[in-house]
Amino acid sequence: MGNVVKPIIIAGFVVAYPFLSAYLAGLGFASFELIVFAALTLWRGFTASGLVARLTSFLLAAVLLAGAYFATTYFVWLVPSFAYLWLTFLFGHTLWSPPSFIERLVRLQFPELVPGIADYCRNLTWIWTLFFASNIVICAALPAIAGQTAWALYTGVVVYGLMGLLGTGEWFYRHRRFPDLEIPPALETFKVIAMNGHKVFKG
């Protein structure tokens, strides 16, 4: 049960971040969330098993603390861009170090893949990588171009709607592309990923 609750709590915090950021910035506490993120990132660094993961966590924590020290509100608006930068790297680097990220997720349920699925997963990983990469720019530019309200709406609502559309559209397309393929219910897939997703990062 704990393996399911933890991802839900993290997801809830991520969704709430844009609105919480706008509220705290209005009160003059723009750097508070950066300190919290830095502390969590440091904790992640100390508990990580791999050297690269530790160094990356420590570096990110240092950047967050620097942003908190200089207390620039714009740095707070950049946090989602850092998150999408990380996701871009997470998905993108597997395109050159196969199996692709989507294939790794699929193999949590189906260790043996039918012909054609690996290539499909690679193409899908490309799509998500480009989606995350585009959001690095969008989330960084919105505060300066359209203001913090538009930024909060996009990063807290619109972008998740776009993810939902992308995921739903792919699900329907997958049924048409592979009509004879065994495709489990989406809820079952989410549960497997929530409980076993950490295995994707091993090795």
Side-chain angles (χ1 to χ4, degrees):
M1 182 66 179
N3 290 334
V4 178
V5 173
K6 183 179 178 181
I8 292 176
I9 293 175
I10 294 174
F13 183 73
V14 170
V15 171
Y17 175 82
F19 305 100
L20 185 60
S21 297
Y23 176 73
L24 290 176
L27 295 178
F29 295 102
S31 62
F32 176 74
E33 283 181 278
L34 298 178
I35 295 174
V36 172
F37 269 109
L40 293 173
T41 306
L42 278 175
W43 175 79
R44 174 60 180 168
F46 285 119
T47 58
S49 57
L51 178 61
V52 174
R54 285 189 177 186
L55 293 177
T56 302
S57 296
F58 293 152
L59 178 61
L60 179 57
V63 172
L64 291 171
L65 287 174
Y69 177 78
F70 291 107
T72 57
T73 303
Y74 185 72
F75 195 93
V76 177
W77 308 141
L78 289 179
V79 170
S81 291
F82 285 126
Y84 288 118
L85 177 63
W86 179 77
L87 286 170
T88 300
F89 171 77
L90 182 66
F91 278 65
H93 92 278
T94 63
L95 295 169
W96 287 271
S97 300
S100 67
F101 193 82
I102 301 296
E103 180 180 341
R104 299 181 191 193
L105 292 177
V106 170
R107 287 186 183 276
L108 294 176
Q109 288 180 285
F110 304 98
E112 299 296 329
L113 301 182
V114 300
I117 297 299
D119 289 338
Y120 179 80
C121 290
R122 178 179 172 81
N123 291 333
L124 189 57
T125 300
W126 262 112
I127 292 174
W128 279 103
T129 299
L130 294 174
F131 174 79
F132 293 136
S134 66
N135 275 285
I136 297 173
V137 179
I138 294 172
C139 292
L142 269 179
I145 297 175
Q148 68 182 49
T149 300
W151 173 87
L153 287 175
Y154 181 83
T155 56
V157 178
V158 175
V159 73
Y160 296 109
L162 293 175
M163 289 182 187
L165 287 174
L166 183 56
T168 302
E170 185 279 323
W171 190 82
F172 281 109
Y173 174 75
R174 195 189 325 154
H175 279 77
R176 293 177 60 87
R177 174 77 179 273
F178 304 102
D180 299 324
L181 185 67
E182 178 187 356
I183 302 177
L187 186 60
E188 180 181 331
T189 299
F190 292 147
K191 184 177 180 181
V192 170
I193 292 175
M195 297 183 67
N196 303 293
H198 62 280
K199 297 178 181 178
V200 171
F201 302 96
K202 293 184 177 180

